[in-house]
């Protein structure tokens, strides 16, 4: 499949890190895996049949080519070009429960070579949805992404953020938390986990803390709690979705696949650009839960294809 370049339009645009997870198994062996929350989201949206572009640059190194191939093979447009800077690396260790613990190498890497506000220079008029999150929110990068989100909202673009906090990757936890809250306030669609809320300085009951992030322009705030299920807070109330009971291999990329399933359901219904009704939000939650359940039964982040969720 030929590589696709900057300037080709897609309806959904995703930016943020694409990296290599160096997975350390319990026996000490290390296995590389493609990763990064925005990369995972773009990959999953492509597999679910959505028109999506990955906008951050990919490295020209060996790892960058593997990341590019994976996106292209999942139907994702590469609109960020290539960079001579290396691919970012993350060391990943699984604890006794299969939960991932990360350490990042983020200096002078390809995906950070994109100046966020430069996206405004050639923003395609057909692109009405933009997502960013995770490591991009760490200062000083997060400040620029926050301004981009604000300007895109002014242009009528629907904005999405998965805060996916990584406090150990930031030098100033207090500033990081403040930046994450500011970025979250610019999102029409917002996803947080209970761990994210704590890292953002929002303590107490997770549901109440997540609901506090809702503002006059928010369409929904999603709260994921792993095996305890997920919540969707919207303008008319809240919805709860139990987690599916499956055999867990590991949880790498589970939240990304959940969010992709949720967004894909809304996008298919043409409902990403206005507050949808409760029935559709409930359907989106269920699709997100199914997508996450498929993923956690496999090693690493392996998003499901659309036919795996729909049976056809």
């Amino acid at each position: 499949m030929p590589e696709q370049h900057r300037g080709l339009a897609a309806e959904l645009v995703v930016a943020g890190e694409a990296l290599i997870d160096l997975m350390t198994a319990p026996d000490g062996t290390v296995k590389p895996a493609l990763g990064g929350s925005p990369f995972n989201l773009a990959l999953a949206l492509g597999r679910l049949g959505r028109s999506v572009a990955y906008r951050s640059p990919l490295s020209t190194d060996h790892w960058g080519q593997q990341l590019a191939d994976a996106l292209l093979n999942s139907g994702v447009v590469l609109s960020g070009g290539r960079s001579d800077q290396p691919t970012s690396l993350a060391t990943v260790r699984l604890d006794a429960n299969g939960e991932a613990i990360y350490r990042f190498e983020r200096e002078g890497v390809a995906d950070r070579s994109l100046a966020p506000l430069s996206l405004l220079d050639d923003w395609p008029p057909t692109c009405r949805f933009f997502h960013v999150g995770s490591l991009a929110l760490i200062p000083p990068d997060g400040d620029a992404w926050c301004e981009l989100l604000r300007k895109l909202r002014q242009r009528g673009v629907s904005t999405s953020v998965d805060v996916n906090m990584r406090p150990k990757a930031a030098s100033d936890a207090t500033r990081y938390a403040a930046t994450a809250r500011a970025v979250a306030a610019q999102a029409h669609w917002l996803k947080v986990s209970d761990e994210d809320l704590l890292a953002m300085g929002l303590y107490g009951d997770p549901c109440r803390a997540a609901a506090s992030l809702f503002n006059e322009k928010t369409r929904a705030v999603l709260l994921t709690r792993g095996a305890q299920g997920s919540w969707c807070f919207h303008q008319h109330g809240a919805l709860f979705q139990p987690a599916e009971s499956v055999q867990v291999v590991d949880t790498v990329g589970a939240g990304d696949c959940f969010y992709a399933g949720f967004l894909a359901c809304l996008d298919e219904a043409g409902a990403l650009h206005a507050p949808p009704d409760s029935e559709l939000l409930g359907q989106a939650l269920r699709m997100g839960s199914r997508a996450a359940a498929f993923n956690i039964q496999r090693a690493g982040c392996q998003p499901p294809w659309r036919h795996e969720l729909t049976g056809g």
Side-chain angles (χ1 to χ4, degrees):
M1 182 181 296
E3 186 166 321
Q4 303 175 62
H5 293 283
R6 180 174 180 170
L8 294 181
E11 295 178 7
L12 314 179
V13 178
V14 176
E17 78 268 12
L19 49 77
I20 298 299
D21 289 328
L22 300 177
M23 308 284 294
T24 303
D27 63 2
T29 58
V30 177
K31 179 180 179 181
L34 310 183
S37 178
F39 168 86
N40 291 340
L41 181 72
L43 191 78
L45 286 170
R47 291 187 178 190
L48 293 176
R50 310 326 301 154
S51 171
V52 57
Y54 178 72
R55 188 63 179 81
S56 292
L58 294 170
S59 177
T60 54
D61 65 17
H62 170 73
W63 296 124
Q65 190 58 51
Q66 288 202 15
L67 291 162
D69 289 345
L71 290 169
L72 290 170
N73 290 333
S74 294
V76 179
V77 173
L78 304 185
S79 61
R82 305 301 288 269
S83 168
D84 290 335
Q85 294 182 309
T87 299
S88 182
L89 299 178
T91 302
V92 188
R93 176 175 59 85
L94 301 178
D95 66 15
N97 298 317
E99 297 286 341
I101 302 170
Y102 294 87
R103 180 178 179 181
F104 301 95
E105 296 181 16
R106 295 285 295 157
E107 292 301 321
V109 294
D111 64 81
R112 291 186 69 193
S113 64
L114 172 67
L117 292 177
S118 70
L119 271 66
L120 298 173
D121 297 338
D122 60 353
W123 186 265
T126 56
C127 299
R128 297 186 55 222
F129 176 92
F130 176 74
H131 171 88
V132 72
S134 195
L135 297 174
L137 274 58
I138 298 174
D141 300 19
D143 300 321
W145 287 111
C146 187
E147 180 65 10
L148 174 69
L149 290 170
R150 186 184 68 81
K151 289 182 178 296
L152 287 176
R153 281 178 61 150
Q154 291 175 343
R155 294 188 180 193
V157 176
S158 294
T159 55
S160 166
V161 172
D162 179 358
V163 297
N164 199 27
M165 298 289 285
R166 301 298 188 202
K168 291 185 178 179
S171 59
D172 185 336
T174 301
R175 183 185 174 194
Y176 180 23
T179 301
R181 294 193 299 269
V183 173
Q186 297 298 327
H188 290 109
W189 305 96
L190 176 64
K191 176 184 165 294
V192 295
S193 68
D194 40 9
E195 294 92 348
D196 293 334
L197 294 169
L198 294 176
M200 295 170 75
L202 301 174
Y203 307 111
D205 177 65
C207 289
R208 182 172 297 180
S212 74
L213 294 169
F214 205 94
N215 63 43
E216 71 279 1
K217 295 183 180 178
T218 310
R219 293 172 188 150
V221 176
L222 297 181
L223 170 64
T224 57
R225 305 195 67 192
Q228 298 181 55
S230 57
W231 289 85
C232 176
F233 302 95
H234 58 102
Q235 63 180 0
H236 299 300
L239 298 169
F240 174 70
Q241 175 63 39
E244 297 193 13
S245 180
V246 296
Q247 184 66 40
V248 178
V249 174
D250 67 50
T251 63
V252 176
D256 306 319
C257 292
F258 170 87
Y259 197 32
F262 178 86
L263 293 174
C265 181
L266 295 180
D267 186 45
E268 190 167 342
L272 283 175
H273 309 298
D277 59 33
S278 296
E279 181 178 355
L280 183 54
L281 287 171
Q283 293 174 11
L285 277 177
R286 289 190 289 276
M287 186 165 176
S289 182
R290 288 199 301 273
F294 267 89
N295 181 72
I296 63 177
Q297 295 178 78
R298 306 165 175 175
C301 183
Q302 298 188 49
W305 295 85
R306 190 176 188 278
H307 69 268
E308 293 181 292
L309 296 187
T310 62

